[in-house]
Amino acid sequence: MTDTPAPLRDAATVVLVRDSDHGIEVFLQRRVKQMAFAGGMTVFPGGGVDPRDRDADLSWTGPDADWWSEILSTTTELAQALVCAAVRETFEECGVLLASTADGTFPDPATLRDDRGALVDKSLSFAEFLRLRGLTLRADLLRPLAHWITPVNEKRRYDTRFFLAAVPPGQEPDDSTSEADIARWASAGDALEAWSAGKHFLLPPTWAQLTEVARFATVAELLAAERVIEPIEPNVSAGQGLSGLAFVNSDDYFAGLGTTTPNIDL
């Protein structure tokens, strides 16, 4: 641990869900090992807030930024940026676009491939993209899920809000991102079982969201559930690596992790 923790960066992550015969499925990605943060880990689409996500000149449907600021316990400006980052990062990382035309029609994301690339390389801001294509951000499709803060021993730290969203009709997430080498749907229960069997690795925030999703039988029930969003920042015991973290339900996490898993230094 260092005497001075790394600064926090605001971020947003979206848990995409759909119904299946095996329970609620979630869209998961395994980050390439070369990534500076969470390399090789199984995660949900998401990333850091772009300062331009704060641009208020955009069309917006659903709960406004004031509502989100209260739910997320932050300023109105940052609440808008977090919602914009959630929608933008989801489109960038897996091609699902939570935005529609004025009449509620969802565009075919395949027709916006060039715009997606411009968002990724930051030559186009999210607000500019929506204005250019006459699209409205669909905040009504998002639900607040959780708030996790990276432990103080990490070199890169994020203040991350997690959101839930069902995939809009006619859209399907893809694997067209350089940040992940595997992208797939899996039931929340299967993803947790595979983690416990050592087939992939879940950091505590990802494990916690999968555990929450697995509590519900249908997407409708999951989205309808009311939640109080409170920040979770794991406590750190120096020199103990992953096993030195303590957080809500951490005993359950380590029990599922098993004793044969190597002590991974976060």
Side-chain angles (χ1 to χ4, degrees), residues 26 59 98 101 131 193:
V26 296
S59 180
L98 303 176
T101 59
R131 292 194 294 267
E193 288 182 7

Side-chain angles (χ1 to χ4, degrees), residues 144-182:
L145 179 59
H147 180 187
W148 281 72
I149 299 172
T150 309
V152 295
N153 61 331
E154 269 284 4
K155 294 180 180 179
R156 290 173 181 260
R157 301 183 65 224
Y158 294 90
D159 190 349
T160 305
R161 269 68 169 200
F162 287 79
F163 299 83
L164 280 167
V167 176
Q171 298 192 34
E172 178 66 24
D174 61 35
D175 60 358
S176 299
T177 175
S178 62
E179 296 186 3
D181 56 9
I182 294 176

Side-chain angles (χ1 to χ4, degrees), residues 27 32 40 44 55 62 90 104 115 128 145 157 160 169 173 197 200 205 262:
F27 186 73
V32 296
F44 308 109
D55 185 348
T90 302
D115 295 314
E128 290 170 337
L145 179 59
R157 301 183 65 224
T160 305
H200 66 152

Side-chain angles (χ1 to χ4, degrees), residues 78-172:
L78 180 54
Q80 176 186 296
L82 288 164
V83 172
C84 286
V87 177
R88 175 180 54 76
E89 286 284 343
T90 302
F91 182 48
E92 289 181 16
E93 294 201 354
C94 68
V96 170
L97 182 58
L98 303 176
S100 65
T101 59
D103 63 1
T105 301
F106 292 96
D108 179 356
T111 66
L112 303 171
R113 188 173 294 109
D114 290 343
D115 295 314
R116 182 178 173 184
L119 288 167
V120 171
D121 68 24
K122 299 191 183 303
S123 60
L124 181 69
S125 76
F126 183 63
E128 290 170 337
F129 161 63
L130 293 180
R131 292 194 294 267
L132 178 67
R133 298 302 176 190
L135 296 173
T136 295
L137 181 148
R138 293 293 300 273
D140 58 320
L141 301 181
L142 291 168
R143 299 292 186 276
L145 179 59
H147 180 187
W148 281 72
I149 299 172
T150 309
V152 295
N153 61 331
E154 269 284 4
K155 294 180 180 179
R156 290 173 181 260
R157 301 183 65 224
Y158 294 90
D159 190 349
T160 305
R161 269 68 169 200
F162 287 79
F163 299 83
L164 280 167
V167 176
Q171 298 192 34
E172 178 66 24

